[in-house]
Amino acid sequence: TKCFRTCVEEVGLETFCSLTEPPPNPKPAMPFCSQEQQQELWSTNGPKTQNENEMLHLLNVWRSEGITCPGNERFDPVPPAIRNPQLDCAARAQARKIVMYANKHDGFGFGSPSLHDVCDPARNNCDHFSDRMEKAGYDDWMGVIQEVASFNYFSPLQGLEAWLGSTSGHCPVLMQQHWHHIQTEVGIGYFHDPNTGRAAYVMVAGQQ
């Protein structure tokens, strides 16, 4: 209110009301997924893209065949999912945070946050799922985007089987095709700390 009165007093009400709104501040070009950030994510992880690629292959085998999820919820065959580099970055960053949190707190126990809400202890970096999607530049989805995460499953098959057999809703996230004319995109992140042996998988699925 103070700013409004001051501006009106300085230029007059008619002039003030005719002023065009300033352009919005442009978003930085994918700061969360910059090349530097990607390099940092992998600096202590090594080239684990083969695990991620295998997980995508296995996921699409199940999607092509259809599956009955826990609770007797049947999903018919759906088109294959494709990788999205923005979602990959968000998934990899979260997988790293899961492992870093577990390293500091000696795993996950009673009172620990969910795998989706852990903070990076080295950076005090805490953000919600929707914030991570926006930081990754994936903020214009078709109303459908979800994340699944697992801790200390080491092979892609172990990770996928845990999700598909979960009674907590993980299976439908991987099998649903909400908009049949829009391809499902996924981001897959795998992080392994060779010093502690801890590992995490994260997959984000959306339609844009």
Side-chain angles (χ1 to χ4, degrees), residues 4-63:
F4 177 82
R5 286 202 305 265
T6 302
C7 293
V8 169
E9 290 170 357
E10 288 181 357
V11 301
L13 181 62
E14 183 176 351
T15 303
F16 176 81
C17 292
S18 65
L19 294 174
T20 59
E21 293 186 7
N25 293 328
K27 293 182 180 179
M30 292 176 60
F32 191 67
C33 293
S34 66
Q35 184 176 0
E36 292 77 13
Q37 173 73 7
Q38 288 282 40
Q39 289 175 348
E40 183 180 356
L41 285 175
W42 294 108
S43 63
T44 57
N45 190 37
K48 299 298 183 182
T49 54
Q50 66 270 23
N51 294 66
E52 298 171 352
N53 292 337
E54 184 180 351
M55 178 167 277
L56 178 67
H57 169 72
L58 294 171
L59 170 66
N60 283 331
V61 169
W62 266 296
R63 286 175 64 90

Side-chain angles (χ1 to χ4, degrees), residues 30-174:
M30 292 176 60
F32 191 67
C33 293
S34 66
Q35 184 176 0
E36 292 77 13
Q37 173 73 7
Q38 288 282 40
Q39 289 175 348
E40 183 180 356
L41 285 175
W42 294 108
S43 63
T44 57
N45 190 37
K48 299 298 183 182
T49 54
Q50 66 270 23
N51 294 66
E52 298 171 352
N53 292 337
E54 184 180 351
M55 178 167 277
L56 178 67
H57 169 72
L58 294 171
L59 170 66
N60 283 331
V61 169
W62 266 296
R63 286 175 64 90
S64 69
E65 296 176 351
I67 190 174
T68 299
C69 292
N72 203 32
E73 188 175 6
R74 177 65 189 175
F75 288 91
D76 294 326
V78 290
I82 60 172
R83 295 284 290 275
N84 177 287
Q86 295 164 307
L87 296 183
D88 277 345
C89 177
R92 288 168 176 168
Q94 189 63 13
R96 181 188 184 280
K97 283 201 294 184
I98 290 171
V99 173
M100 294 298 102
Y101 178 94
N103 285 347
K104 181 176 180 179
H105 298 276
D106 196 25
F108 289 85
F110 181 78
S112 297
S114 78
L115 299 183
H116 309 287
D117 297 326
V118 297
C119 304
D120 186 334
R123 299 178 177 81
N124 195 28
N125 177 16
C126 304
D127 49 25
H128 295 291
F129 171 64
S130 59
D131 297 326
R132 295 199 300 275
M133 296 307 100
E134 185 172 355
K135 289 179 181 179
Y138 199 89
D139 56 351
D140 187 26
W141 58 81
M142 301 295 294
V144 180
I145 188 164
Q146 295 171 289
E147 179 183 75
V148 293
S150 64
F151 174 64
N152 268 3
Y153 291 93
F154 297 96
S155 75
L157 179 61
Q158 288 177 332
L160 268 177
E161 286 183 334
W163 290 331
L164 294 174
S166 169
T167 59
S168 301
H170 297 79
C171 182
V173 171
L174 305 181

